[in-house]
Amino acid sequence: MGSSTRGVVTAAVAAVLALSAMWHWPLLVVAALATLLVAGGWPRLAGLPVTTGPGVVIAATGLAALAVVAVTGSVDGVAVVLGLAVAGSFVQEMLRRDGRPRLVESVAGTVTGCVVAGSAAMWPALGDTSPAAAVVVTAAAALAAGAACTALPLRARLVPGLATVVAGGAGLLAGVLLPAVGPLVGAATGLVAGVLTSAVHLVLGRFPASSRPLPALAAAALPPMLAGAPTFMLGSVLLA
């Protein structure tokens, strides 16, 4: 799977996020499916020495974080889940019976995947109000616009700047069209989404496994998942 295809998939995931934001529970389902996708592909994408154990820990972390948000309506418990995920990363290494080569790399990669999975829970954590849905739609629209730029057949050096500018413009436009967000927050959200999308596109595109189907799908799902955390922070300021 090439970089253009990954960009298209990222834009599609962002569009689904925007659509599901109209209803709260579908947003939880979409975040859960994206978590499982990343859990299945991240260990292979990062080239970890083992894949099953880290994948299980990452999936459990993401689903537990989503469950905490769904039950409590708060992100306070997500920090506890991430703390347990770090412990779980060490436990799964202890269960290895292959001599534990590249131990530090395996633990670091697993913890990184858990952080990504935990970030996905920030999307539904904004709540089910109309202003919260407007924030999600704004961020998702900016992600889709930035990801679409990474799918264009342009020189690699032009992609980051173009993706950032286009995503910022998409966020600004969404902010103007959605009074609950406003142009300032919309533009800021768009710029964050553009920087995140272009950075992930450039970095993960250099991984040898990024052309294989499952790791490539995980790489494509990473920008929308990672954007959950900054979107939640900007949305919390707006909705406070």
Side-chain angles (χ1 to χ4, degrees):
M1 184 182 293
S3 60
S4 296
T5 305
R6 291 199 309 273
V8 171
V9 174
T10 301
V13 173
V16 173
L17 274 174
L19 181 62
S20 62
M22 304 301 176
W23 307 274
H24 189 59
W25 284 104
L27 184 59
L28 285 167
V29 173
V30 171
L33 293 176
T35 297
L36 294 176
L37 182 61
V38 169
W42 172 255
R44 294 172 177 81
L45 177 65
L48 301 186
V50 291
T51 57
T52 303
V56 170
V57 174
I58 293 169
T61 300
L63 295 179
L66 285 169
V68 166
V69 169
V71 172
T72 66
S74 171
V75 299
D76 295 341
V78 175
V80 177
V81 172
L82 292 178
L84 292 174
V86 175
S89 300
F90 283 98
V91 170
Q92 75 88 19
E93 292 296 329
M94 294 172 61
L95 296 176
R96 289 173 60 184
R97 293 295 181 265
D98 58 353
R100 301 191 188 96
R102 299 160 58 197
L103 175 63
V104 175
E105 179 183 345
S106 182
V107 172
T110 304
V111 171
T112 301
C114 291
V115 172
V116 173
S119 296
M122 300 297 103
W123 286 104
L126 282 169
D128 56 357
T129 63
S130 296
V135 172
V136 173
V137 169
T138 299
L143 278 169
C149 292
T150 65
L152 297 176
L154 301 173
R155 293 182 180 178
R157 67 181 64 181
L158 299 178
V159 172
L162 179 63
T164 302
V165 171
V166 171
L172 175 62
L173 178 60
V176 171
L177 296 176
L178 299 171
V181 177
L184 181 60
V185 174
T189 303
L191 289 175
V192 171
V195 170
L196 183 61
T197 301
S198 58
V200 171
H201 169 75
L202 287 176
V203 173
L204 296 185
R206 298 177 180 178
F207 282 32
S210 62
S211 59
R212 295 163 53 190
L214 188 55
L217 288 173
L222 274 174
M225 292 186 68
L226 284 172
T231 299
F232 175 79
M233 290 187 287
L234 289 170
S236 297
V237 173
L238 177 67
L239 301 175

